[in-house]
Amino acid sequence: MKRIRKYIGVLLCLIVFAAMAMGSGSDTSVDNSNASGASDKTGTESDNVVMVGGSFEKDGLKGTVNDADTDFTDYDDPYGFYKPGDGKKYVKADFSFENDGKSDAYVSSADFSCYADNESCDQSFIASVNEFSGDTLSTGRKINFSVVFAVPVDAESIELEYTANIWSSEKVIIKLQ
């Protein structure tokens, strides 16, 4: 009897993982029609690139890159706690997310990574900036927030990566500079 329960448990786990894998295809769409100088396009895995003003959608969760500041200095720092460090500056990107899907969707600032000239950069949390750690959005709900990263002052290329699907490691690239 113990063996049967064990096999049933293993079988249930396999079914759950198979169901998640089936829903993890690369169907993220990208829309840069509102981005300056970019054309409208629907993305595939090889061209999930979004410009400032553009948006992306995965399984009913739509993200929009509302604005970006590649030399962000407009934050309160009366005690000098938030200095970016020697040779660094802050970049900030403002996002809005809306859940038009049929089920809850989790959104987090931890879903974002930053690369300056292909080198990983540290995320910064500044008290006066509209940042958040994460939230589950019910269908029809919206949220706005910002992410801030410390990057080298002389960086030529600055990109954010948004992890659209943790099961397939699918990424959306957001070009800031």
Side-chain angles (χ1 to χ4, degrees):
M1 192 59 137
K2 278 187 169 181
R3 281 182 120 176
I4 293 173
R5 286 185 192 161
K6 181 179 176 181
Y7 290 122
I8 290 173
V10 170
L11 181 63
L12 288 174
C13 286
L14 289 173
I15 290 170
V16 168
F17 283 120
M20 286 190 274
M22 287 175 21
S24 66
S26 177
D27 62 351
T28 301
S29 64
V30 172
D31 178 3
N32 280 310
S33 60
N34 292 329
S36 57
S39 63
D40 184 278
K41 65 181 179 179
T42 299
T44 63
E45 192 167 353
S46 62
D47 66 348
N48 284 343
V49 178
V50 179
M51 309 304 283
V52 175
S55 60
F56 51 93
E57 188 268 332
K58 171 73 174 172
D59 296 332
L61 183 64
K62 181 179 179 183
T64 301
V65 187
N66 298 320
D67 196 14
D69 185 346
T70 57
D71 192 14
F72 177 60
T73 58
D74 188 24
Y75 56 91
D76 293 331
D77 190 14
Y79 303 106
F81 294 138
Y82 303 117
K83 296 207 183 303
D86 292 339
K88 303 274 183 169
K89 66 178 181 176
Y90 288 131
V91 296
K92 179 180 80 114
D94 302 323
F95 293 90
S96 59
F97 279 84
E98 181 174 1
N99 184 359
D100 291 330
K102 296 178 181 175
S103 61
D104 291 354
Y106 185 75
V107 180
S108 172
S109 58
D111 294 338
F112 291 88
S113 301
C114 179
Y115 295 90
D117 298 332
N118 295 318
E119 293 288 327
S120 180
C121 299
D122 293 328
Q123 190 167 14
S124 300
F125 297 96
I126 300 172
S128 64
V129 176
N130 182 24
E131 297 174 297
F132 85 116
S133 58
D135 201 1
T136 300
L137 295 179
S138 301
T139 299
R141 302 294 185 179
K142 301 175 186 180
I143 192 163
N144 297 305
F145 64 92
S146 301
V147 294
V148 177
F149 290 89
V151 302
V153 172
D154 59 353
E156 292 181 24
S157 167
I158 303 171
E159 298 177 341
L160 299 182
E161 281 187 358
Y162 171 72
T163 303
N165 187 327
I166 62 170
W167 301 108
S168 68
S169 299
E170 185 178 344
K171 309 274 191 220
V172 173
I173 307 298
I174 300 142
K175 297 247 184 207
L176 300 183
Q177 175 176 307

